[in-house]
Amino acid sequence: NELDPPAGGELLVPGAVRLIEWPQRARARLPPPDLCIASEYEEPPGEGRKVQITCTSPETAEALARMLR
């Protein structure tokens, strides 16, 4: 399992930024997310993707807004 030590311990370092694909597979072992990014294919096929970004705290929303300026 990728979350098991030694590599897994490095994934959960406070203050680190990590993108985890399929977090629902390890939800009980992960801290709550600060930011959720979801993407899905647009219809009809081949039209690209739609991306939704959701911040779970005001601090994360502020940091994202600063990055996007």
Side-chain angles (χ1 to χ4, degrees):
N1 186 319
E2 295 171 1
L3 292 177
D4 290 335
E10 296 170 6
L11 288 175
L12 304 177
V13 175
V17 175
R18 300 290 184 250
L19 298 176
I20 300 177
E21 186 176 20
W22 308 111
Q24 62 274 22
R25 294 182 180 177
R27 190 165 314 278
R29 299 178 67 191
L30 296 171
D34 292 316
L35 183 74
C36 296
I37 302 171
S39 72
E40 59 186 55
Y41 289 106
E42 291 281 3
E43 293 294 332
E47 292 297 313
R49 289 183 182 233
K50 179 169 95 174
V51 176
Q52 179 178 352
I53 300 173
T54 306
C55 299
T56 60
S57 72
E59 295 82 11
T60 303
E62 290 171 16
L64 181 61
R66 284 193 305 273
M67 289 179 4
L68 296 176
R69 285 187 197 146

